[in-house]
Amino acid sequence: RKWSFSGVLLVTGLTALAAFMLLPIVYIFNHAFKPLDELFLFPPRIIVQQPTFRNFDSLFFATAGDVVPFTRYLFNSLLIAAVTISCVIMVSTMAGYALSKLRFGMKSVMMGLIYVSLMFAAETVSIPRYLIISGIGINDTYFAHILPFLASPVAVFLMMAFIGQIPNDLIEAAKLDGASEPAIFRRVVVPLSAPAVATISILTFQGVWGDTEASTLFVQEETMKNLAYYVQTLVNGAQNNVAGQGMLAAASLLMFLPNI
């Protein structure tokens, strides 16, 4: 197919824009492997000249003798993210199916509450969350990290909208074949909702992986805190402002990789 002049300009412009938007990703990858002298170069360089693994050695082994090693924070974050994603998918999918396809009392009220909850930022409910978590006695547990994400109005709203597009005739046909409600949900609704489930998984993982609220407010035991909290506090204090930059660069890359 022949290329028009405007088509060439469009592709060239979009390619240049894509390359420009890739610069932060290239920078964070190179920044993690920079030696200490390159970390403080001015003007800063995007591409590392003398790559080294010393930053990762410092991150993994220099903290090994601490009360809580780096690997503990990493394990906590991976475990919390995996359990939270599984629970959010299960809760939001079941709620979306019930709200979009089933008939029961107070359904309109529950949907209205979900719509209202979309207007509140997470910071506005920090105190109620703390009171609930303290009231049921799950401070210093993994569940303190997981519980605030289970009631996800965004996830329920997405699943409700997506499942609502599934034809009712398909569900009725399954009922005529003798399928129960759990069987319809498991064998019809969930497979057809795979794109929405994937979207919810990505959004939930991004929120859980970078969350520091639970480790700051709900958890006092250092062995139960997550990786995002550790990275946030890695260079706190004047003594780490210079020496800790290499570890911070390596930890930032590890925080970024799962998201990408």
Side-chain angles (χ1 to χ4, degrees):
R1 194 178 67 177
K2 294 183 178 179
W3 284 78
S4 64
F5 180 72
S6 59
V8 173
L9 285 180
L10 179 63
V11 172
T12 303
L14 291 177
T15 303
L17 180 62
F20 178 76
M21 296 181 67
L22 282 174
L23 285 180
I25 299 178
V26 175
Y27 178 81
I28 195 172
F29 271 91
N30 283 268
H31 195 64
F33 295 96
K34 289 180 180 178
L36 194 61
D37 56 340
E38 289 191 41
L39 287 172
F40 293 94
L41 275 180
F42 185 83
R45 294 174 179 170
I46 295 178
I47 305 299
V48 59
Q49 303 298 312
Q50 297 177 336
T52 178
F53 286 94
R54 183 172 299 176
N55 296 333
F56 293 93
D57 291 339
S58 300
L59 183 62
F60 284 100
F61 300 113
T63 59
D66 294 347
V67 177
V68 181
F70 171 83
T71 51
R72 177 67 185 191
Y73 296 105
L74 180 61
F75 170 77
N76 290 344
S77 286
L78 292 174
L79 178 63
I80 292 167
V83 175
T84 303
I85 290 173
S86 301
C87 292
V88 169
I89 290 174
M90 181 177 63
V91 171
S92 61
T93 306
M94 290 192 297
Y97 174 65
L99 291 171
S100 61
K101 295 299 183 183
L102 302 182
R103 297 178 181 177
F104 54 90
M106 303 292 289
K107 176 179 176 180
S108 59
V109 175
M110 294 182 66
M111 293 178 65
L113 291 174
I114 292 174
Y115 295 144
V116 170
S117 64
L118 290 170
M119 298 188 297
F120 289 91
E123 292 77 12
T124 61
V125 294
S126 295
I127 294 177
R129 281 179 176 176
Y130 177 80
L131 295 175
I132 293 173
I133 289 174
S134 298
I136 60 180
I138 60 172
N139 293 81
D140 295 331
T141 65
Y142 288 122
F143 201 53
H145 294 271
I146 298 169
L147 182 62
F149 288 94
L150 292 187
S152 176
V154 175
V156 174
F157 179 78
L158 286 175
M159 290 306 306
M160 187 170 58
F162 196 91
I163 295 176
Q165 298 177 1
I166 297 177
N168 292 327
D169 295 339
L170 188 62
I171 296 177
E172 293 297 330
K175 290 181 179 179
L176 291 176
D177 288 338
S180 61
E181 288 291 351
I184 293 173
F185 174 77
R186 185 179 67 255
R187 303 180 64 180
V188 177
V189 174
V190 173
L192 293 176
S193 304
V197 171
T199 303
I200 291 171
S201 301
I202 294 171
L203 295 177
T204 302
F205 179 81
Q206 289 178 336
V208 174
W209 188 252
D211 177 64
T212 59
E213 181 186 60
S215 295
T216 304
L217 300 180
F218 313 141
V219 177
Q220 288 75 45
E221 182 66 35
E222 195 68 25
T223 56
M224 304 301 295
K225 296 181 183 291
N226 62 5
L227 182 60
Y229 173 85
Y230 175 72
V231 173
Q232 185 184 59
T233 59
L234 189 61
V235 292
N236 282 357
Q239 70 275 13
N240 287 330
N241 281 344
V242 174
Q245 291 302 313
M247 289 191 298
L248 178 62
S252 299
L253 177 60
L254 293 179
M255 286 292 298
F256 175 73
L257 277 177
N259 284 301
I260 197 172

